[in-house]
């Protein structure tokens, strides 16, 4: 197993640790949880860089990396709803987009095609991470950042579906 994949696996193991510190009432728990979330977000960039720079891109990594991303973001969003820091309808929209695009990618993959991350998809990830961090540290304007992240999430989903509609319209 290469270094990039080890970093990705570490990111997955950080999910329950992040949730523990976020949801269990303890001194500095929120600060620790926020730090863990930031580290997890940064390792997403790091593992991709390492895999590309060392020419160590693997099928396992292609599968695991997006899963790790979705796990940490979903865990954070659901926990923020539980803590009443963000409304559930925003999370439902974000998760609906994730399910839809994951399904679209699965259909494309079944036909031997890979749908690469688009610029909108990358922007979606960045805005979601910023909005989650803002909610975790309880910035006054965090809800507006979450609205922006949700709007970009919707635009990203529409962009993916439009550009890859051939996989939806294909006839079997």
């Amino acid at each position: 197993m290469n270094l990039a994949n080890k970093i990705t696996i570490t990111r997955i193991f950080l999910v329950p640790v992040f949730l523990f510190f976020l949801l269990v009432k303890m001194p500095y728990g929120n600060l620790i949880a926020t730090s863990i979330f930031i580290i997890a977000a940064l390792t997403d960039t790091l593992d991709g860089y390492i895999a590309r720079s060392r020419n160590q891109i693997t099928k396992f990594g292609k599968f695991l990396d997006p899963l790790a991303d979705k796990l940490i973001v979903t865990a954070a969003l659901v926990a923020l709803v539980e803590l009443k820091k963000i409304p559930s309808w925003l999370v439902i929209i974000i998760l609906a987009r994730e399910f839809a695009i994951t399904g679209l990618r699965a259909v494309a993959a079944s036909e031997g095609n890979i749908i690469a991350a688009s610029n909108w998809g990358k922007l979606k990830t960045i805005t979601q991470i910023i909005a989650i961090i803002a909610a975790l540290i309880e910035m006054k304007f965090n809800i507006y950042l979450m609205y922006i992240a949700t709007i970009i999430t919707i635009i990203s989903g529409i962009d993916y579906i439009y550009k890859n509609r051939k996989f939806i319209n294909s006839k079997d």
Side-chain angles (χ1 to χ4, degrees):
M1 176 164 310
N2 67 38
L3 179 59
N5 289 343
K6 288 177 183 176
I7 292 170
T8 302
I9 290 170
T10 300
R11 190 161 72 250
I12 291 171
F13 283 117
L14 286 176
V15 173
V17 178
F18 160 74
L19 289 172
F20 174 80
F21 283 105
L22 184 62
L23 298 174
V24 175
K25 300 295 180 200
M26 67 177 70
Y28 306 106
N30 192 56
L31 178 64
I32 295 167
T34 303
S35 299
I36 291 169
F37 182 83
I38 291 168
I39 289 166
L42 292 174
T43 61
D44 180 31
T45 303
L46 179 64
D47 63 14
Y49 171 78
I50 289 171
R52 286 185 300 278
S53 68
R54 297 181 180 187
N55 198 25
Q56 295 179 338
I57 297 172
T58 64
K59 287 181 184 179
F60 181 71
K62 286 180 184 179
F63 165 75
L64 208 59
D65 184 64
L67 177 64
D69 299 343
K70 285 175 187 20
L71 284 173
I72 192 72
V73 169
T74 301
L77 291 170
V78 171
L80 288 168
V81 169
E82 181 177 336
L83 295 170
K84 299 182 180 5
K85 293 186 179 187
I86 60 172
S88 60
W89 65 267
L90 290 174
V91 175
I92 291 167
I93 290 170
I94 291 169
L95 293 180
R97 182 264 185 214
E98 295 304 329
F99 286 129
I101 302 310
T102 299
L104 178 62
R105 283 191 161 123
V107 169
S110 73
E111 297 176 12
N113 298 289
I114 301 221
I115 298 175
S118 70
N119 288 335
W120 278 109
K122 292 174 185 175
L123 182 61
K124 177 234 13 146
T125 301
I126 292 166
T127 58
Q128 285 177 358
I129 289 169
I130 291 169
I132 289 168
I133 292 169
L136 288 170
I137 62 175
E138 300 179 3
M139 294 175 98
K140 288 188 179 196
F141 55 87
N142 72 67
I143 193 64
Y144 299 109
L145 292 173
M146 195 58 68
Y147 292 152
I148 292 167
T150 303
I151 290 166
I152 291 172
T153 297
I154 293 167
I155 293 168
S156 166
I158 292 168
D159 179 63
Y160 273 104
I161 290 168
Y162 179 76
K163 287 180 178 172
N164 297 285
R165 64 191 178 278
K166 64 185 175 193
F167 300 117
I168 297 169
N169 295 329
S170 65
K171 296 178 184 176
D172 292 328

